[in-house]
Every structure is written in structure tokens, then in C-alpha cells.
Amino acid sequence: MNVQQLRDHFKARNNLELAKKIQYARSTLTLWEQNGIPPKTQAYFQVISNGKLKADSLALGT
């Protein structure tokens, strides 16, 4: 998954809005855009979205 998919899922227009909704710093979202979302964080979002968001299986090592 990527930050754009998070914005779409949480219906956020930009990173500031998304940061408020998911309670992460906007600078963290910028890092995720540059380097990818960490595997454990992707897994967390997959769980809380009931599987609507999918963690990158390569990042998870599966």
C-alpha cells in the first residue's frame, strides 16, 4: 500500500488531513511517500481496515 491509497481510504484530500485522521505526523507521511510505508505499519492498516487496504506481501516477507 502507499500513501495515496491511505488518503483514498480515509477520504483525506491531502497529507495534512490524513495525518489528523490517522494520528501520525505529516512529516511521517512525507517519509512514507519517499521510502514506503514500513511493513508493520502496513499490516496495522490492513487489520484496522478489515482487509480493504492490502499490505505489500513482499514487504511483509510472505
Side-chain angles (χ1 to χ4, degrees):
M1 89 184 53
N2 58 43
V3 175
Q4 181 61 52
Q5 291 169 320
L6 289 175
R7 279 195 300 266
D8 293 344
H9 178 77
F10 287 101
K11 296 178 175 68
R13 292 176 293 188
N14 53 47
N15 281 358
L16 179 60
E17 202 172 291
L18 178 61
K20 289 178 181 179
K21 288 184 178 200
I22 65 173
Q23 298 181 347
Y24 277 85
R26 190 170 48 137
S27 60
T28 300
L29 299 179
T30 300
L31 287 174
W32 290 354
E33 287 181 319
Q34 295 169 354
N35 305 318
I37 301 171
K40 287 182 181 181
T41 306
Q42 287 188 45
Y44 166 76
F45 284 117
Q46 182 171 329
V47 169
I48 68 164
S49 72
N50 293 319
K52 291 178 184 166
L53 291 168
K54 298 291 183 193
D56 179 14
S57 60
L58 293 176
L60 294 175
T62 59

